[in-house]
Amino acid sequence: MPLRWQEVAVPLFVIIALLVLKHVPWTESLPLARAAGVVAFGYAAFLALRLIQGEEAVQIDGWSELRPSMVEYFACYGAAALSVVLMSAVIFIGGTKHVEPTQMIATFTASLLLGAGAFGIGLCGLFTKVRWNNTILEHRTAFGRETRLAWSDVRSVRPNWRGITIATQGAEKVTFSQFHSGAAQLAIHATNRARRNAETSTKAFATL
């Protein structure tokens, strides 16, 4: 699946913001240049893993199934590990050495944000299950909630900040990550189904 503009704009915005904040008096003492380097390294790794993301879904007993990709594993466990490192620095280094309050607050905040990001990626990416056959699409969340959409009811396929959303005329919807292996195949299949359903509805309306 091609890169979306958000995947390019967000890391560039973060890097530029960190470099600008480096010249702001209140934050100039923070290691923001080093943080920008970490973001740049992480983005380079993301692009490398994105290139090897699988385009085809896994076939199991007549079902096509999405699987988490290396991009999602890297983002989830990498963010979790970095969050633990930063929190450890706050606990241990902050208790033994004098550290500026600004640095302590920034490190603590970054740790919480990374931890929340890892938790969100895990819930929305690693621990969800999406599969489909010729008649239905099934989506199961990390909490066990299951949604089933009949392909004959699908009306739209739209990208959003969470991934790709497949919706029916009855307002039922399923959202899956564009970083899943096989996401491109599912998006193409859903788009074709939505277009076919729209054409069928148009022909049926014309014959009335």
Side-chain angles (χ1 to χ4, degrees):
M1 182 174 288
L3 286 175
R4 296 163 61 181
W5 68 268
Q6 295 94 331
E7 298 174 39
V8 178
V10 171
L12 291 179
F13 173 79
V14 172
I15 292 173
I16 292 173
L18 290 173
L19 294 178
V20 170
L21 289 174
K22 182 64 180 175
H23 301 284
V24 175
W26 190 72
T27 56
E28 63 181 0
S29 62
L30 299 176
L32 297 177
R34 187 177 302 174
V38 172
V39 173
F41 173 79
Y43 185 57
F46 164 80
L47 290 177
L49 294 174
R50 193 78 162 86
L51 291 175
I52 61 174
Q53 179 178 333
E55 297 292 326
E56 300 294 327
V58 177
Q59 304 296 322
I60 301 177
D61 298 329
W63 291 83
S64 299
E65 186 173 319
L66 300 184
R67 292 293 175 86
S69 67
M70 289 302 297
V71 171
E72 292 171 306
Y73 283 114
F74 171 78
C76 182
Y77 295 121
L82 189 55
S83 175
V84 171
V85 170
L86 292 178
M87 187 60 70
S88 299
V90 171
I91 295 173
F92 296 107
I93 297 179
T96 58
K97 295 182 180 180
H98 175 71
V99 182
E100 293 184 8
T102 303
Q103 294 185 7
M104 290 289 293
I105 294 172
T107 304
F108 181 73
T109 303
S111 177
L112 291 180
L113 292 175
L114 288 168
F119 183 74
I121 294 171
L123 285 183
C124 299
L126 302 186
F127 303 114
T128 61
K129 185 175 183 180
V130 181
R131 65 175 188 169
W132 71 96
N133 57 21
N134 292 328
T135 57
I136 62 173
L137 168 68
E138 290 186 354
H139 177 272
R140 181 176 297 173
T141 68
F143 299 107
R145 180 184 177 185
E146 189 172 288
T147 302
R148 293 188 175 189
L149 305 182
W151 285 122
S152 58
D153 295 333
V154 171
R155 291 295 178 267
S156 65
V157 181
R158 294 191 179 93
N160 53 51
W161 66 273
R162 292 178 54 198
I164 301 172
T165 297
I166 301 173
T168 66
Q169 193 169 9
E172 292 183 306
K173 61 180 64 175
V174 163
T175 300
F176 61 95
S177 171
Q178 73 271 22
F179 301 125
H180 279 336
S181 295
Q185 181 182 353
L186 177 54
I188 293 172
H189 181 75
T191 301
N192 291 336
R193 286 284 189 164
R195 182 172 62 249
R196 190 183 309 169
N197 292 340
E199 292 173 353
T200 302
S201 298
T202 301
K203 291 179 181 178
F205 181 78
T207 57
L208 295 177

